[in-house]
Amino acid sequence: MAPAGIPASSTVTLHINGEKYTLPVDHRTTLLDALRERLDLTGTKKGCDQGQCGACTVLVDGRRTVSCLQFAVAAEGRDITTIEGIADERLTGGLHPVQQAFVELDGYQCGYCTPGQICSAVAVLEEHAAGWPSAVTEDVRPEAGPPPLTPEEIRERMSGNLCRCGAYVSIVRAVAQAAAQPADGVKEQVA
Ligand code: FES
Ligand code: FES
């Protein structure tokens, strides 16, 4: 309970997948609970609820964020992308290349942690293209540019997302395939 004189809730406007949602939230409400319980955006999943599994990953201003550790009020005005907004029919005419690769290479498994895996992979490709090093990058000098996106690099960059069903091998292949696609090389959505 908030101390006397300090409000316990606020009305916030969240920018999600290109839409604006204005809603009152208790200050203790996480972004994850706001998405799932208040806005019916249930593609984002709750796994551990303590920042360890990556199932709740969304993009906030293009950066990977575990939404179970982010308060909804702290996300006000930020540009939030959930799994529901990854494929943009208006822009691509189909699935995101990462989604397409997951379909083709069997990266989809239980479906519970896949949304978080997809969101992370989309950001991984952007981080890599921007030249960000990872913990396994050997040459981290800015002038060295993006390192080769080897399986080891992909595994390290995706290591915040757990999969207990053993799809890691397929996921690494799918991320590598998506990385090799030209930016405008999105294929038709599969039925
Ligand atoms: S539910 Fe957020 S990291 Fe597991
Ligand atoms: S895809 Fe969910 S446990 Fe593997």
Side-chain angles (χ1 to χ4, degrees):
M1 193 168 166
I6 298 180
S9 63
S10 298
T11 297
V12 298
T13 298
L14 300 177
H15 300 207
I16 307 169
N17 303 330
E19 307 280 341
K20 283 188 183 177
Y21 300 83
T22 299
L23 68 163
V25 291
D26 185 300
H27 290 166
R28 297 164 295 186
T29 304
T30 63
L31 178 57
L32 174 60
D33 284 340
L35 291 171
R36 289 183 54 83
E37 311 298 335
R38 305 291 303 284
L39 302 175
D40 211 22
L41 290 165
T42 54
T44 306
K45 298 296 188 281
K46 181 184 284 190
C48 64
D49 206 19
Q50 53 184 321
Q52 295 186 351
C53 73
C56 65
T57 301
V58 300
L59 307 184
V60 176
D61 292 338
R63 298 279 300 274
R64 293 183 275 169
T65 300
V66 281
S67 57
C68 67
L69 295 187
Q70 166 100 56
F71 287 121
V73 287
E76 173 149 46
R78 316 280 297 276
D79 187 16
I80 301 163
T81 304
T82 68
I83 189 64
E84 290 91 347
I86 291 289
D88 191 328
E89 297 290 333
R90 293 163 301 173
L91 296 179
T92 67
L95 296 178
H96 188 282
V98 168
Q99 293 173 308
Q100 187 69 39
F102 267 64
V103 170
E104 292 177 4
L105 298 173
D106 212 15
Y108 287 118
Q109 295 288 330
C110 75
Y112 200 81
C113 51
T114 300
Q117 300 268 8
I118 299 270
C119 286
S120 269
V122 168
V124 159
L125 297 185
E126 290 172 5
E127 291 163 12
H128 175 259
W132 291 18
S134 80
V136 299
T137 302
E138 288 185 9
D139 190 347
V140 298
R141 293 172 304 141
E143 59 268 31
L149 202 52
T150 60
E152 187 185 20
E153 280 281 355
I154 294 171
R155 279 196 293 271
E156 168 58 28
R157 290 167 190 263
M158 293 291 294
S159 62
N161 291 78
L162 301 184
C163 160
R164 296 167 185 82
C165 67
Y168 287 127
V169 174
S170 309
I171 290 169
V172 169
R173 284 197 200 114
V175 175
Q177 173 171 306
Q181 288 226 337
D184 58 354
V186 180
K187 299 175 185 171
E188 299 255 313
Q189 183 167 357
V190 295

